[in-house]
Amino acid sequence: MLGPPLAVALGVAAALAFPEPSDTTRARILLGGLEMAVPLAAAVACATLIGQDPAREVQLSAFTPYRITLLRRMTVVLAWTASVALLTAAVLILTGWWERWPQNHGALAGQLTWLAPTLALSGLGFAAGAVLRSPAAAGAIVTTVWAVQQFFGDAVQAHQPGRLLYLFATTRGVVPGDWTANRLTLLGTGAALIALALVLLGRPERLISEEDE
Amino acid sequence: MKDLLPAYAAGSLPDADRERVRLHLADCARCRADLASWQALASPHREPPPDPAALIRGVLTRSALTPPEKSPPRRLRHLAGLMLAEARLIRMAVPIASALVMALGVGLVLWQATAGAELVLALVAPIVAAAGVAGTYRSGHDPAAEVVAATPTSGRLLLLVRIALVFGYDLALAVAASAALAATGAAGTASMNTLVTAWLGPMVLLSSISLLIAVRFGPDVALGAAVGLWAVRVLVGGVLVRDGRLARFVVEVWTTNAPVLAVSAALTTVAFILAGREPPGVRHATHPM
């Protein structure tokens, strides 16, 4: 639960630590904290949802399907992340920093800055957890995808499919016209990955089979 | 009458009592049997019991004079057995994911030379190792937790063996990745030594922090903390902020140097000391310990 607030704090600290920045650069760092750090924190939390539940056997014998319980837990994580991100965005809008980044896309649609990558990366973490049943392995997958998009941003955006799946299109996008399609694609990808995870969790006995090996 | 039998066997009864017992024995078979037992005990031909002081002195002297068995082969066999047993408890997903992530990093460097090989390895290798270490320490959730609690082998030794396996595997992966990049020339002018120096310090530091937090607060918190610290390095030392005192400090910490290695060793030592203690918040159902 500490992840999203710490991610926001990291963005603010980075903006304050930058020497002699222009307002545009500082605004980019602040929005970058929302678009880069907040989704990573939420995704790592979602990656750890599956695999280390101490009450797993009890959950599997309960009337409520375990995948519904896991989905509820993921909803709590995302709701908390959204609360922190919305509060931060509101502060940035009220203080004028939101407008100082030219590609801010407004106060309302601009919320997709953090919402789309958060849902996509969290869906990836949840699906990786369902496939690998190991928080460490799922966390490594999430951080790798995030890092690849950071360090190979130009290569990823060199073609249309890559641009549509690029997580940081608001602060590092090379084709601003693709922004809306990019955000919608990320939202759809996130929903598809969550659906995939729920399908995989339809056989919850897989979650305990490895412990018996 | 039975109470008088020991004294009768020892011959210390007064005449009147001795006569009374003798008459009773003529008619009672059970008391005759008891008397036979007492007489056997009181027999002057029995060997006297050994002197306890002499016995202990003799055992200690013999123990001191007998050369010990050659122990190194047994220890090595024991250690090999421990490593084999611990290796079975590591989930296969962890080494497979580690290898895939490292291979992806190498592949991307070979495919796109925009990001330097040193930087990619310096950022991929530490998070792979730290995530592996965090996921390895599972304490009470370990499938073999009950067996570990009952075994005479120290829990710290078992943790050391398991961490050595995971970290050693990730270390070997990173060395292999460095060798592959150096051999193909994708690293530019960077030598094998330069590549290893780029990731070794950060890998050791992040893994030791991850281990300490895992021991104290659990694997999920450790994974989150490791990813958070790693993200600080990526964002503040590279993507978002490249200049300034904070960025320079972060980059300086994320290198291989003596202070980083010393701090890592200290954190690892503290983690192993804490590993033998109860984590905070543990409640015992039946008794306080």
Side-chain angles (χ1 to χ4, degrees):
Chain A
M1 286 298 179
L2 283 174
L6 288 176
V8 170
L10 169 65
V12 174
L16 293 175
F18 199 77
E20 301 174 9
S22 66
D23 278 358
T24 305
T25 308
R26 188 163 278 175
R28 173 176 174 266
I29 296 173
L30 288 168
L31 263 71
L34 276 180
E35 190 176 37
M36 298 171 185
V38 169
L40 182 63
V44 170
C46 290
T48 59
L49 287 176
I50 302 169
Q52 292 193 351
D53 190 342
R56 187 170 40 215
E57 285 80 2
V58 178
Q59 294 283 357
L60 292 176
S61 62
F63 180 73
T64 305
Y66 190 41
R67 57 181 170 181
I68 300 300
T69 305
L70 289 172
L71 187 62
R72 286 175 183 161
R73 290 179 183 172
M74 186 181 184
T75 306
V76 171
V77 170
L78 293 180
W80 168 244
T81 305
S83 306
V84 173
L86 274 174
L87 183 65
T88 308
V91 171
L92 292 179
I93 290 167
L94 290 174
T95 53
W97 285 105
W98 191 271
E99 292 177 359
R100 288 174 196 164
W101 178 242
Q103 288 85 42
N104 65 72
H105 299 279
L108 190 61
Q111 298 311 312
L112 291 174
T113 295
W114 57 266
L115 181 58
T118 296
L119 193 66
L121 212 53
S122 299
L124 176 66
F126 194 52
V131 172
L132 300 170
R133 290 169 286 164
S134 163
I141 297 289
V142 165
T143 51
T144 301
V145 169
W146 187 85
V148 165
Q149 297 223 358
Q150 290 285 11
F151 295 117
F152 300 95
D154 292 338
V156 171
Q157 296 183 83
H159 45 81
Q160 179 71 7
R163 281 199 298 278
L164 290 177
L165 290 170
Y166 189 57
L167 293 168
F168 319 118
T170 309
T171 49
R172 299 187 67 195
V174 293
V175 182
D178 286 346
W179 188 83
T180 305
N182 164 275
R183 299 289 106 169
L184 294 176
T185 305
L186 288 180
L187 289 175
T189 304
L193 287 169
I194 292 170
L196 172 68
L198 291 177
V199 170
L200 291 172
L201 292 169
R203 288 179 56 208
E205 64 274 14
R206 288 180 69 245
L207 295 175
I208 56 172
S209 59
E210 191 176 354
E211 300 290 334
D212 300 329
E213 286 176 359
Chain B
M1 187 61 65
K2 275 189 175 182
D3 297 339
L4 299 175
L5 290 177
Y8 182 85
S12 57
L13 274 180
D15 291 344
D17 288 341
R18 187 167 62 244
E19 187 59 21
R20 197 157 54 91
V21 172
R22 191 181 63 79
L23 290 173
H24 173 77
L25 287 170
D27 298 329
C28 180
R30 181 177 291 179
C31 284
R32 280 202 301 276
D34 284 351
L35 178 66
S37 301
W38 285 116
Q39 283 173 334
L41 281 174
S43 167
H45 302 299
R46 283 184 69 247
E47 247 181 57
D51 177 27
L55 184 68
I56 291 172
R57 197 162 47 246
V59 169
L60 290 177
T61 306
R62 186 171 173 183
S63 168
L65 294 176
T66 307
E69 292 180 24
K70 291 182 178 178
S71 54
R74 273 185 65 184
R75 280 185 189 164
L76 282 177
R77 273 203 304 275
H78 180 60
L79 192 60
L82 279 179
M83 295 190 92
L84 194 63
E86 286 293 325
R88 290 180 188 148
L89 293 174
I90 296 172
R91 291 186 168 188
M92 281 309 293
V94 175
I96 290 174
S98 301
L100 285 176
V101 168
M102 198 66 79
L104 183 65
V106 172
L108 285 170
V109 171
L110 292 175
W111 176 55
Q112 284 282 332
T114 49
E118 292 169 63
L119 181 62
V120 171
L121 282 182
L123 293 174
V124 170
I127 192 62
V128 166
V133 168
T136 300
Y137 183 79
R138 292 194 284 169
S139 188
H141 303 314
D142 198 297
E146 287 84 1
V147 179
V148 169
T151 184
T153 306
S154 158
R156 289 192 181 107
L157 176 61
L158 295 175
L159 176 64
L160 180 65
V161 169
R162 194 182 293 192
I163 295 299
L165 279 172
V166 173
F167 187 79
Y169 173 78
D170 290 327
L171 196 70
L173 275 181
V175 169
S178 303
L181 289 174
T184 56
T189 55
S191 64
M192 173 80 178
N193 193 28
T194 309
L195 286 175
V196 171
T197 307
W199 54 259
L200 184 60
M203 185 178 184
V204 175
L205 179 63
L206 200 63
S207 298
S208 62
I209 293 173
S210 177
L211 176 63
L212 179 58
I213 296 176
V215 166
R216 196 65 184 154
F217 301 107
D220 292 349
V221 179
L223 179 63
V227 171
L229 291 171
W230 174 81
V232 167
R233 166 62 184 89
V234 174
L235 294 177
V236 177
V239 175
L240 279 181
V241 182
R242 287 192 180 85
D243 305 316
R245 276 196 308 181
L246 181 62
R248 280 199 298 275
F249 172 74
V250 170
V251 172
E252 182 64 25
V253 169
W254 206 266
T255 49
T256 304
N257 54 51
V260 165
L261 295 177
V263 168
S264 305
L267 291 175
T268 306
T269 306
V270 172
F272 278 104
I273 291 171
L274 291 178
R277 298 181 181 175
E278 292 282 2
V282 167
R283 299 281 184 273
H284 293 279
T286 55
H287 59 285
M289 284 183 70

